[in-house]
Amino acid sequence: MEEEAGEEPGLDRSSPRDFYFYHTDLYDPEDRLQIFPKQNVRTRREVVQAERSHEPRGAGDGKVQRDLQEEVDELVHLYGLEDDHELGDEFVDENLPRMGASEYPPHMMKRTEPAREQRDWRLTGEVAEAEDLGLGGWGSAGQCQDLREAYRYAHGRASEEYECYVIPEEEDEEEAVDVFCVTCKTPIRAFQKVFDEHKEHEVIPLNKALESAKDEIHKNMYKLEKQILEMENFANHLEEVFITVEENFGKQEQNFESHYNEILETLAQKYEEKIQALGEKKKEKLEALYGQLISCGENLDTCKELMETIEEMCHQEKVDFMKDAVLMADRLGKFLKIKTDVEISAQPDFEDQTLDFSDVEQLMGSINAVPAPSAPVINPQAPNSATGSSVRVCWSLYSDDTVERYQLCYRPVRDSSPGKDQAEFTVTVKETYCSVMKLVPNTQYEFWVTAHNRAGPSPPSERAVYMTAPSPPIIKTQEIRSCEEAALICWESGNLNPVDSYTVELTRAEGPEAPGVTESVVGIPTCESLVQLQPGQSYLIYVRALNVGGPSARSRPATVHTTGSYFHLNKHTCHPWLTVSEDGFTIVRSQRKTPEREPPPSDTRFTRCVAVMGNLIPVRGRHYWEVEVDERLDYTVGVAFEDVPKQEDLGANSLSWCMRHTFASSRHKYEFLHNRTTPDIRITVPPKKIGILLDYENSKLSFFNVDISQHLYTFKCQLHQLVHPCFSLEKPGCLKIHNGISMPKHVTF
């Protein structure tokens, strides 16, 4: 029964190969641990053969038992089972009980399955050789089976301690954690929500909890990064403050040392001054006393001499005495008349030499922890920093200076002489900038600034000249000229002082919701500009003046239409007998007595021909205008160069091309004059409105009867220069000009 329980299919219990142990872990055969190295097997085989050939059967059995015991000890040592006495006994006890297959633990029965399915991959080639060694008679098959099962049981026990090698038995995998308990803040299994202590708790899916946790971690990381950045900035700020404090205290030490040195120098200077003053006073008194002493000695000598002389006279004869007495009396009288100064000129007492230390006390009082600030540095004027009535002034100061306020002073600059006899103005601010208001446009101002603190004011900064922006220009609407492609804009500066340049801004006037500025022409040096435009549009024109202070405000707008050629009459060329209306489009010659004398000759004004010229825009192209006339009026219309002789009739030279009409005896005469010549053309329908087309591109000048759309005549002109419209009235009447109108279809042939 024991043998049947211990047998395995495919194994022969009669040979030593029954002792082969199989590695029953869960890995592939090539990954299994080598329990019996090949060298040990070969050594054991050699020993067995030697013992078989020399020893008796019983001795061989004992030797094999010893070898088996050594192998078991090696297994125990290899798997760390030295402390497991129970298992060790099972391996070494010769009388261990025989257990059948049904008596082994379930996991041991389970581990025998792989042993039945495969052979030991190390020893299969040596089975036959082992049979030849005569080991088949050692022990019974049941004993071998028990030893193998004991090894397997020991191997299973070892696997419980060293899970890296084998798993003794396969346990059912636990159910995966799939929900998260919000109350306990721990992941749990789904069934625990129903049967466990988490029944009343709030749970959410694990993925959602994971995402929420990640978001929370990211938020905290962001806050942490922000806090790190703030702390780094704070540390940098602390470092800057540390350096600033160190520098300030160093500067204060230098300031104290400078003040004390100054005080010592002042005291030394006062000492020298006082010593010098005392010496001079001493010298003065001693010299006075010495002089008085000399004078007293001289008087004394004179008195002694007189006394001796008188004594000698007293011993003389009477006659001699009388002679000398008269002379002595005169001498004594003169001597006694001299007043002798017997008062001491210089008293020996010392005067009070009180020292004045007020300036020293002032120096002592000026020693302060906060020194007076350094002189500020006023900045040059920045572009666009001014308006017509204000300017923004900026300055800078050393960062380590303590300043309580700034005092900005300014005055206007006139006649290129800054700072001379001009009123000064002062503004007090706490910032390093100031916007000064209520100034004159396009005017230069001189600025300087001082810094103040409790130690006193700083030296003034260097002076800088700022300039206010100009006043807005004034567009001369009566002098605007235009055509379909361009417009000539003229304006007045509006400023007493010159400006740097002008800017023309164009805005499409398409309706109440017109767009903003669509084009700007900048850097215009003069007070006029020829601006390119688009045909058939209406524009609002603005002009700005610019200087170093910035641009002025916009001028008042002027409207320009590019629907035709638009011009005004040039009053400077008008004959004195003609009058131009205020709108500049009507010419009138009134009924009045003709003066006996003609006006004096002029290069700009017509003097013989009663005419006037118009100012056409200087653009080559096509220009069209119309003139409304009276059928019985003598008139001349056409074009002429600007330098046409003003003392000649229009058409009487090569510089003018004209259509002339005269009315006499109910007859109309039309002439197309150039250089006093005219073609023979008769017009049957007198025009009441004449259309004139000037075509530079084709060098043509054409005349039309507008009312009947009739072509009258065309000149072939060599227009090497720009020409201007011209109009003449030979008799009293008026001509009315229509321009700025679209070109009719009948003239575009």
Side-chain angles (χ1 to χ4, degrees), residues 19-264:
F19 292 104
Y20 299 160
F21 299 128
Y22 293 92
H23 191 60
T24 57
D25 58 7
L26 300 180
Y27 299 100
D28 294 334
E30 60 271 15
D31 296 330
R32 292 171 181 170
L33 182 67
Q34 294 183 2
I35 299 176
F36 298 105
K38 293 182 179 180
Q39 183 178 0
N40 296 338
V41 174
R42 287 194 297 271
T43 302
R44 183 173 65 252
R45 184 171 64 249
E46 293 173 358
V47 172
V48 171
Q49 289 178 352
E51 290 179 351
R52 183 178 180 183
S53 59
H54 297 89
E55 297 180 0
R57 181 68 177 263
D61 294 342
K63 181 67 175 178
V64 171
Q65 273 190 326
R66 288 194 298 273
D67 292 339
L68 179 61
Q69 182 65 35
E70 292 177 358
E71 295 292 342
V72 171
D73 293 340
E74 182 179 356
L75 285 175
V76 170
H77 176 70
L78 178 64
Y79 285 95
L81 303 176
E82 293 89 343
D83 297 332
D84 196 338
H85 303 289
E86 181 181 357
L87 183 59
D89 294 341
E90 293 179 1
F91 272 99
V92 300
D93 191 1
E94 295 180 355
N95 300 320
L96 77 164
R98 303 292 191 269
M99 292 187 296
S102 60
E103 298 178 43
Y104 287 102
H107 66 276
M108 293 183 66
M109 294 297 294
K110 186 176 181 179
R111 291 297 178 182
T112 58
E113 298 298 331
R116 295 190 186 100
E117 296 175 0
Q118 57 182 0
R119 302 291 183 183
D120 190 341
W121 58 278
R122 305 181 189 88
L123 305 177
T124 51
E126 301 176 1
V127 174
E129 186 177 356
E131 291 178 351
D132 297 336
L133 296 178
L135 298 178
W138 184 89
S140 63
Q143 187 177 5
C144 295
Q145 176 69 19
D146 293 342
L147 185 60
R148 183 166 58 249
E149 295 298 339
Y151 158 70
R152 292 170 182 164
Y153 178 70
H155 189 209
R157 289 282 301 275
S159 66
E160 294 176 1
E161 297 183 6
Y162 303 96
E163 296 180 0
C164 58
Y165 294 135
V166 296
I167 300 176
E169 61 177 340
E170 298 179 358
E171 299 179 358
D172 295 337
E173 294 185 359
E174 296 181 352
E175 185 178 353
V177 175
D178 53 359
V179 294
F180 181 80
C181 179
V182 179
T183 305
C184 300
K185 298 187 181 301
T186 181
I188 60 174
R189 301 180 183 88
F191 73 88
Q192 291 179 307
K193 165 64 179 172
V194 181
F195 302 104
D196 210 342
E197 68 271 9
H198 305 282
K199 183 175 182 180
E200 302 297 331
H201 296 175
E202 179 184 359
V203 297
I204 58 175
L206 186 62
N207 294 335
K208 186 176 180 181
L210 180 62
E211 294 297 329
S212 177
K214 288 182 178 180
D215 293 342
E216 187 67 22
I217 291 175
H218 289 162
K219 291 179 181 178
N220 293 333
M221 289 178 64
Y222 173 76
K223 293 179 180 178
L224 185 60
E225 291 176 356
K226 186 176 180 182
Q227 186 174 359
I228 292 173
L229 182 60
E230 291 178 355
M231 293 302 296
E232 290 178 350
N233 294 336
F234 180 69
N236 294 334
H237 180 65
L238 284 178
E239 184 178 0
E240 293 176 358
V241 171
F242 180 86
I243 296 174
T244 303
V245 169
E246 186 178 11
E247 291 178 353
N248 287 342
F249 273 95
K251 192 170 183 180
Q252 291 175 12
E253 292 175 0
Q254 295 178 359
N255 184 44
F256 282 132
E257 183 178 358
S258 174
H259 275 78
Y260 282 121
N261 290 336
E262 186 177 358
I263 291 172
L264 293 177

Side-chain angles (χ1 to χ4, degrees), residues 552-564:
S552 69
R554 276 181 169 183
S555 66
R556 291 186 178 181
T559 304
V560 174
H561 304 282
T562 57
T563 54

Side-chain angles (χ1 to χ4, degrees), residues 176-468:
V177 175
D178 53 359
V179 294
F180 181 80
C181 179
V182 179
T183 305
C184 300
K185 298 187 181 301
T186 181
I188 60 174
R189 301 180 183 88
F191 73 88
Q192 291 179 307
K193 165 64 179 172
V194 181
F195 302 104
D196 210 342
E197 68 271 9
H198 305 282
K199 183 175 182 180
E200 302 297 331
H201 296 175
E202 179 184 359
V203 297
I204 58 175
L206 186 62
N207 294 335
K208 186 176 180 181
L210 180 62
E211 294 297 329
S212 177
K214 288 182 178 180
D215 293 342
E216 187 67 22
I217 291 175
H218 289 162
K219 291 179 181 178
N220 293 333
M221 289 178 64
Y222 173 76
K223 293 179 180 178
L224 185 60
E225 291 176 356
K226 186 176 180 182
Q227 186 174 359
I228 292 173
L229 182 60
E230 291 178 355
M231 293 302 296
E232 290 178 350
N233 294 336
F234 180 69
N236 294 334
H237 180 65
L238 284 178
E239 184 178 0
E240 293 176 358
V241 171
F242 180 86
I243 296 174
T244 303
V245 169
E246 186 178 11
E247 291 178 353
N248 287 342
F249 273 95
K251 192 170 183 180
Q252 291 175 12
E253 292 175 0
Q254 295 178 359
N255 184 44
F256 282 132
E257 183 178 358
S258 174
H259 275 78
Y260 282 121
N261 290 336
E262 186 177 358
I263 291 172
L264 293 177
E265 291 177 0
T266 303
L267 289 174
Q269 183 179 358
K270 283 187 169 294
Y271 172 79
E272 294 294 337
E273 291 176 355
K274 289 298 181 181
I275 292 297
Q276 185 178 358
L278 287 174
E280 292 178 356
K281 195 71 174 176
K282 172 184 176 182
K283 182 179 179 182
E284 179 184 356
K285 285 191 173 186
L286 291 178
E287 288 179 353
L289 291 173
Y290 182 75
Q292 195 173 14
L293 182 61
I294 295 297
S295 177
C296 183
E298 291 176 353
N299 289 337
L300 183 60
D301 292 341
T302 304
C303 290
K304 288 180 179 181
E305 181 186 358
L306 290 174
M307 288 295 295
E308 291 175 356
T309 303
I310 292 173
E311 288 179 357
E312 290 178 359
M313 286 175 58
C314 291
H315 295 89
Q316 292 179 357
E317 295 294 333
K318 295 181 179 179
V319 177
D320 294 334
F321 177 78
M322 291 303 296
K323 291 179 181 180
D324 294 335
V326 174
L327 296 175
M328 181 57 67
D330 293 337
R331 184 178 177 185
L332 285 174
K334 292 179 180 180
F335 178 77
L336 293 175
K337 287 181 180 180
I338 299 175
K339 186 177 181 180
T340 303
D341 187 8
V342 293
E343 293 182 1
I344 299 177
S345 59
Q347 298 296 328
D349 298 335
F350 289 100
E351 298 178 359
D352 186 10
Q353 298 294 328
T354 303
L355 297 178
D356 183 12
F357 289 101
S358 59
D359 49 354
V360 178
E361 293 176 355
Q362 184 178 359
L363 288 174
M364 292 293 293
S366 64
I367 299 177
N368 200 311
V370 179
S374 305
V377 179
I378 194 164
N379 300 339
Q381 184 172 11
N384 302 326
S385 61
T387 65
S389 60
S390 67
V391 66
R392 181 183 175 89
V393 184
C394 300
W395 57 89
S396 58
L397 193 71
Y398 293 105
S399 59
D400 54 355
D401 284 344
T402 302
V403 177
E404 297 177 356
R405 67 185 185 279
Y406 297 95
Q407 196 171 55
L408 178 65
C409 303
Y410 65 95
R411 54 188 164 192
V413 178
R414 295 179 182 174
D415 300 329
S416 301
S417 56
K420 291 185 179 180
D421 300 331
Q422 299 292 339
E424 294 185 4
F425 303 91
T426 303
V427 180
T428 301
V429 295
K430 292 186 177 181
E431 298 81 10
T432 56
Y433 60 88
C434 179
S435 294
V436 184
M437 314 298 289
K438 298 181 180 180
L439 303 179
V440 180
N442 200 36
T443 303
Q444 291 183 335
Y445 287 86
E446 184 184 32
F447 290 89
W448 65 98
V449 64
T450 55
H452 295 256
N453 60 14
R454 59 184 178 180
S458 72
S461 67
E462 294 184 357
R463 306 200 174 201
V465 176
Y466 280 54
M467 192 170 190
T468 53

Side-chain angles (χ1 to χ4, degrees), residues 620 639-643 653-657 674-675 694-701 714-724:
R620 292 182 177 272
V639 297
F641 289 116
E642 187 175 3
D643 57 350
N653 48 61
S654 61
L655 302 179
S656 58
W657 295 261
H674 174 64
N675 204 12
L694 174 62
D695 189 352
Y696 280 98
E697 297 176 356
N698 299 309
S699 300
K700 293 181 180 181
L701 177 66
T714 297
F715 285 102
K716 289 289 187 179
C717 312
Q718 295 298 325
L719 303 176
H720 55 277
Q721 296 179 7
L722 296 173
V723 295
H724 295 280

